[in-house]
Amino acid sequence: MKIRLIFTTVLLTICNLSFSQIRVPEASSAATLKQTLGFAEVMIEYNRPQLKGRDIFKDLTNERDV
């Protein structure tokens, strides 16, 4: 009986872990950072551009070869 309970617990744990999904940010996610420094407040807003299948270094390598 004890072995059956342990086996069932291990099986349910493995099934639960195998079907859990990791949440990843969007491909072009935005981020904002705010920090107060003394009397000033600094805010940085950042948006990561999407490549959409393009090669970012393609144009850079062509310019070097010329």
Side-chain angles (χ1 to χ4, degrees):
M1 183 70 181
K2 232 180 195 181
I3 294 174
R4 189 178 235 176
L5 180 64
I6 293 172
F7 178 74
T8 305
T9 305
V10 170
L11 182 66
L12 289 174
T13 304
I14 291 172
C15 289
N16 188 21
L17 291 175
S18 66
F19 287 110
S20 62
Q21 295 181 1
I22 300 172
R23 293 183 184 179
V24 294
E26 297 177 17
S28 182
S29 61
T32 303
L33 175 69
K34 291 182 182 180
Q35 182 69 42
T36 303
L37 299 171
F39 296 110
E41 184 175 284
V42 178
M43 183 171 75
I44 299 173
E45 294 182 16
Y46 174 75
N47 289 321
R48 181 176 57 195
Q50 291 181 342
L51 289 178
K52 295 184 182 178
R54 298 174 288 192
D55 186 14
I56 192 168
F57 297 109
K58 182 179 180 182
D59 294 333
L60 295 176
T61 56
N62 288 340
E63 288 178 9
R64 288 183 188 167
D65 294 337
V66 174

